[in-house]
């Protein structure tokens, strides 16, 4: 369920060259330096976190193209609004939230693009649980099911079950209450389980 699987590549952020003198500078110091007008500070900050932010966008958006566009929009927003950072969370958390919000905004603006869930009769047969091809087939179905989830549920379950954040940290990342994360994850897991259970029908025993 990463960008490589979906054929995407991380977009260029202009941060490919590491600037000297930043090795011992913290993320928050870099962000404050950027807000104060220091050149290269923001590029170094994004160089540190670009891979994580790209993976986040790729997991929330439906397509690599939308992920790339959302990430660019998010980085522009972070660049312009660095002065609003108050240090209530880590810089990485702050950037993560901006990226997720940019992805969700793009999905809302592009509602004509729907995830297509294939009916069970066209899913690949699972012949042997130990068969490597079967594992690949299951992965495909899982990815399809994940991208059929509503965006808010997908963002929550990706944060908790894919990226390994605690429920509290995921709530902080997404800017919603802990109870909301729990309910979104529960609904998402139920839908994902239904997709997997459908593979256990006659002739598809795992």
């Amino acid at each position: 369920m990463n960008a490589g699987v979906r054929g995407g590549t991380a977009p260029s952020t202009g941060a490919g060259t590491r600037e000297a003198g930043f090795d011992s500078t913290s993320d928050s110091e870099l962000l404050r330096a950027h807000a104060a007008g220091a050149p290269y500070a923001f590029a170094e900050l994004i160089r540190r976190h670009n891979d994580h932010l790209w993976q986040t966008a790729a997991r929330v958006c439906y397509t690599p193209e939308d992920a790339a566009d959302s990430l660019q929009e998010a980085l522009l927003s972070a660049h312009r609004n660095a002065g609003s950072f108050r240090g209530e969370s880590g810089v990485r958390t702050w950037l993560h939230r901006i990226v997720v919000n940019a992805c969700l905004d793009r999905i809302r603006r592009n509602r004509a693009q729907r995830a297509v869930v294939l009916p069970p009769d066209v899913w690949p047969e699972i012949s042997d649980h130990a068969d490597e091809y079967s594992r690949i087939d299951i992965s495909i179905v899982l990815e399809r099911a994940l991208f059929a989830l509503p965006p808010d549920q997908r963002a929550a379950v990706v944060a908790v079950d894919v990226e390994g954040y605690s429920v509290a940290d995921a709530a902080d990342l997404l800017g919603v209450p802990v109870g909301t994360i729990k309910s979104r994850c529960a609904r998402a897991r139920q839908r994902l389980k239904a997709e997997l259970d459908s593979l256990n029908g006659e002739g598809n025993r795992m």
Side-chain angles (χ1 to χ4, degrees), residues 10-11 16 62 64 114 121 133 147 156 168 179 194 203:
Y62 289 108
R114 300 288 185 179
D121 59 347
Y133 289 105
F147 278 85

Side-chain angles (χ1 to χ4, degrees), residues 5 20 22 32 45 60 64-65 67 94 101 107 122 152 158 176 184 188 194 202:
V5 171
F22 285 137
R32 285 195 296 269
L45 181 65
V60 176
E65 293 76 17
W94 181 74
N101 286 337
I107 290 170
V122 299
D152 290 347
V158 162
V176 297
R184 288 177 181 175
E202 185 177 351

Side-chain angles (χ1 to χ4, degrees), residues 57-205:
R59 286 165 173 157
V60 176
C61 287
Y62 289 108
T63 68
E65 293 76 17
D66 278 348
D69 289 344
S70 297
L71 180 56
Q72 294 288 10
E73 291 172 5
L75 295 184
L76 283 172
S77 177
H79 187 277
R80 294 167 180 162
N81 297 296
S84 67
F85 179 72
R86 295 292 179 262
E88 297 169 354
S89 61
V91 173
R92 181 181 172 113
T93 297
W94 181 74
L95 290 169
H96 183 112
R97 184 184 301 129
I98 292 173
V99 170
V100 170
N101 286 337
C103 292
L104 296 179
D105 285 345
R106 175 163 288 270
I107 290 170
R108 294 185 188 106
R109 294 196 305 266
N110 192 26
R111 290 190 182 278
Q113 180 179 348
R114 300 288 185 179
V116 177
V117 180
L118 297 180
D121 59 347
V122 299
W123 289 343
E125 286 194 8
I126 305 301
S127 58
D128 183 354
H129 181 62
D131 184 356
E132 185 62 29
Y133 289 105
S134 299
R135 296 176 187 274
I136 294 172
D137 286 344
I138 293 171
S139 176
I140 291 170
V141 173
L142 273 172
E143 181 169 330
R144 184 185 299 128
L146 180 65
F147 278 85
L149 293 172
D152 290 347
Q153 290 181 25
R154 184 168 67 255
V157 81
V158 162
V160 175
D161 291 342
V162 178
E163 297 180 342
Y165 287 100
S166 68
V167 171
D169 287 343
D172 186 42
L173 282 170
L174 299 176
V176 297
V178 167
T180 300
I181 293 294
K182 290 180 178 179
S183 63
R184 288 177 181 175
C185 284
R187 290 195 297 270
R189 290 167 185 153
Q190 185 176 17
R191 294 183 64 165
L192 291 172
K193 183 178 183 299
E195 294 289 353
L196 287 178
D197 285 347
S198 68
L199 295 178
N200 287 325
E202 185 177 351
N204 287 327
R205 296 293 177 185

Side-chain angles (χ1 to χ4, degrees), residues 6-29:
R6 299 187 64 78
T9 56
S12 171
T13 62
T17 302
R18 186 167 188 168
E19 297 298 326
F22 285 137
D23 288 347
S24 60
T25 306
S26 70
D27 288 350
S28 58
E29 288 170 338

